[in-house]
Amino acid sequence: MWRFVGKYQHMCCDNGKNTGTTANDWEAMPSSTACGGNSSIDLLAWGPGQGLLVAAAPNGQASLLSETVLHRLLCCDVGAIQLSTDSVRLERQSGASALLAADISIRGLAVSSRHVLVWNGQKAQVFEWSYDMGDNKPLPIAKFSSTARAMALRDETIYRASNNVVELCNLNGIVRQKMTFSEGEGSPTHLDVNGQFLAVATDTGLIKLFKVTRREPKQL
């Protein structure tokens, strides 16, 4: 597959005629194996969901390909780089590193000094990777259903955006508190934790900051 990286305005000359594209206007994307990899592909079609592509072979085999945005994060002393749809490379400033393998296709990623959270809009999975585990593989400690569009992680608390609410959950996904946003404020779409602060961005362009060191988050 190829992605267009050129500039559309360069495709037209002064008289408005299309001049086409050159090889420099296209960039090769990583290849994907479809239909078992042993047959030619004679049909490609977009699926009903966002980022879904169907590939079909003459022998009747079909594969559903899902677009994956690879995430990368740096939090506390932990760096995380998503390598594929279900794997994340973790590294500490001390030099320790480990490979996390999830049971789900990862659409979102959050890390803290001790835990890693991944989700895909249907399910979420929590792993433990504490400092004293060194290069050992992260341990899965919780898995729960969630349709949250965004999540963030701080210590033992998961913050997740659901409709017009930010839910504060424990590591098992059980809701302990809620922060409700009005219709005028909009629905939360992005969450980010930095130290003792939580930033929430909504679909109306509003950004709210909270101090989350106490039991009740305090808006700043």
Side-chain angles (χ1 to χ4, degrees):
M1 298 178 65
W2 296 79
R3 177 175 59 185
F4 181 72
V5 295
K7 296 183 178 180
Y8 290 98
Q9 58 265 36
H10 293 169
M11 295 173 58
C12 292
C13 54
D14 294 337
N15 59 10
K17 292 184 178 180
N18 193 328
T19 59
T21 62
T22 67
N24 293 331
D25 293 326
W26 297 89
E27 178 182 78
M29 298 179 64
S31 60
S32 299
T33 300
C35 304
N38 299 318
S39 178
S40 61
I41 303 298
D42 66 349
L43 177 65
L44 290 173
W46 292 111
Q50 182 179 6
L52 295 179
L53 184 67
V54 178
N59 60 8
Q61 285 187 308
S63 293
L64 185 61
L65 307 176
S66 177
E67 180 185 21
T68 298
V69 177
L70 301 180
H71 297 79
R72 59 187 183 275
L73 287 176
L74 179 62
C75 181
C76 302
D77 65 332
V78 179
I81 300 177
Q82 185 179 349
L83 303 178
S84 65
T85 57
D86 59 0
S87 65
V88 177
R89 182 73 174 181
L90 302 172
E91 293 189 6
R92 290 190 184 274
Q93 293 179 354
S94 64
S97 64
L99 183 66
L100 181 152
D103 296 335
I104 61 175
S105 296
I106 300 171
R107 292 296 183 97
L109 171 67
V111 299
S112 68
S113 61
R114 187 180 180 88
H115 297 100
V116 182
L117 169 67
V118 296
W119 69 91
N120 64 2
Q122 295 180 328
K123 295 184 180 295
Q125 194 169 11
V126 182
F127 295 81
E128 181 180 355
W129 192 55
S130 57
Y131 186 88
D132 55 4
M133 291 176 64
D135 295 332
N136 292 325
K137 183 178 180 181
L139 298 176
I141 59 173
K143 189 175 183 180
F144 53 89
S145 298
S146 176
T147 58
R149 63 174 72 183
M151 296 192 194
L153 183 62
R154 183 180 186 272
D155 297 333
E156 303 286 320
T157 301
I158 295 173
Y159 303 88
R160 65 186 189 192
S162 179
N163 298 319
N164 68 324
V165 173
V166 173
E167 299 172 333
L168 283 66
C169 312
N170 63 19
L171 295 179
N172 291 307
I174 298 175
V175 179
R176 299 183 303 188
Q177 291 176 262
K178 293 182 179 181
M179 296 187 295
T180 303
F181 286 68
S182 67
E183 183 178 351
E185 292 174 327
S187 297
T189 57
H190 295 82
L191 307 176
D192 187 62
V193 170
N194 188 346
Q196 59 184 350
F197 302 104
L198 168 69
V200 181
T202 73
D203 55 9
T204 62
L206 176 70
I207 297 178
K208 276 190 172 185
L209 296 178
F210 298 87
K211 190 173 183 179
V212 290
T213 53
R214 299 182 179 180
R215 180 179 179 86
E216 296 287 340
K218 179 182 179 182
Q219 183 179 339
L220 302 178

